[in-house]
Amino acid sequence: MNRREFLKTSLTATAVLAGSVILGGTLVHAAANSKGGKMKILVITGSPRKNGNSNTLAEHFIRGAKEAGHEIVRFDAAFKDVHPCIACNKCGMNGECVFKDDFEFVRKHIVDAGMVVFATPMYYFGISAQIKAVIDRFYAINGSIHVPKKAALLMTYADNNKRKEKAITDHYEILLDYLGWSDVGKVIAPGVWPVGAVNHTKFPEQAYLLGKSV
């Protein structure tokens, strides 16, 4: 079975398990991830600074989402043990990974989450290595997460050049397009570098209101 055939088969099987069906090649999802409008939200942070600016945005988003009644599960990638993917393909794109580490927590919660939030600083014009390692390990659950979910991006960076945001926003949007997830909002905070700099801006409130609105 080639890669394309595997993806088609695994997506079909996963859709059935998730209460979804494929009609005419279109995935139709019965929103089983939420009850009464409430859902599980997995927040994945990538900053190695505990009080970093992107983590501050994550905390404000979480506060708003909790007030809206959602269940929040948080994974701080920089303080966890997540081995980078080594492309061994032992998982077959939807099976057990050869590494037994803290990614098991993500694996446990992401499948039934109705929304995934990525909170990252810009490091050398891209997302932080810590959160990238987590995203790369999505490979092992590829078939299980190709179901409609909501997503959001919380991003901070020191510069003020919108062109430099594109490396991260394009990656995020292409990832969502591949997975079939829907963007519900981005909070992008430029011009923040020292710890706490974001506190003196409008962006924490924006993150809070985004969490409150999902």
Side-chain angles (χ1 to χ4, degrees):
M1 182 182 294
N2 63 32
R3 183 187 178 101
R4 181 169 295 181
E5 289 172 340
F6 171 81
L7 279 172
K8 183 177 179 181
T9 301
S10 63
L11 287 175
T12 303
T14 303
V16 172
L17 289 172
S20 308
V21 293
I22 294 179
L23 300 175
T26 301
L27 183 65
V28 181
H29 182 61
N33 290 325
S34 60
K35 297 179 180 179
K38 309 308 178 187
M39 60 183 164
K40 177 191 283 189
I41 301 175
L42 174 63
V43 178
I44 305 174
T45 73
S47 176
R49 302 195 295 183
K50 288 187 177 180
N51 299 312
N53 294 306
S54 62
N55 282 346
T56 296
L57 294 186
E59 288 162 5
H60 281 78
F61 174 91
I62 288 169
R63 180 168 62 88
K66 282 183 175 179
E67 289 180 10
H70 300 300
E71 174 190 355
I72 305 298
V73 179
R74 178 170 175 166
F75 186 80
D76 295 309
F79 305 102
K80 305 296 182 181
D81 175 27
V82 179
H83 196 287
C85 176
I86 59 171
C88 66
N89 208 36
K90 292 290 181 63
C91 65
M93 296 185 75
N94 200 37
E96 291 298 316
C97 180
V98 295
F99 298 111
K100 303 304 176 187
D101 55 20
D102 290 332
F103 183 77
E104 292 299 308
F105 180 90
V106 176
R107 187 184 191 113
K108 175 182 177 182
H109 291 287
I110 196 171
V111 174
D112 66 344
M115 181 173 181
V116 179
V117 178
F118 301 96
T120 183
M122 176 189 288
Y123 280 177
Y124 233 74
F125 309 104
I127 63 177
S128 72
Q130 292 86 345
I131 203 168
K132 182 62 164 65
V134 173
I135 293 172
D136 286 349
R137 291 281 294 279
F138 284 6
Y139 186 88
I141 50 176
N142 191 74
S144 300
I145 60 176
H146 269 80
V147 296
K149 296 181 187 292
K150 296 178 180 180
L153 174 67
L154 310 174
M155 170 191 155
T156 58
Y157 71 115
D159 210 324
N160 283 283
N161 187 330
K162 287 189 68 65
R163 176 175 173 271
K164 295 175 182 176
E165 299 171 7
K166 283 182 61 60
I168 294 179
T169 58
D170 285 355
H171 182 192
Y172 167 76
E173 290 165 4
I174 291 169
L175 177 66
L176 265 56
D177 183 63
Y178 171 68
L179 292 171
W181 298 359
S182 301
D183 173 48
V184 298
K186 303 179 185 72
V187 178
I188 299 176
V192 294
W193 191 354
V195 169
V198 78
N199 293 327
H200 310 294
T201 71
K202 62 186 177 183
F203 301 111
E205 178 69 8
Q206 289 182 3
Y208 165 76
L209 292 174
L210 178 59
K212 188 88 170 175
S213 69
V214 296

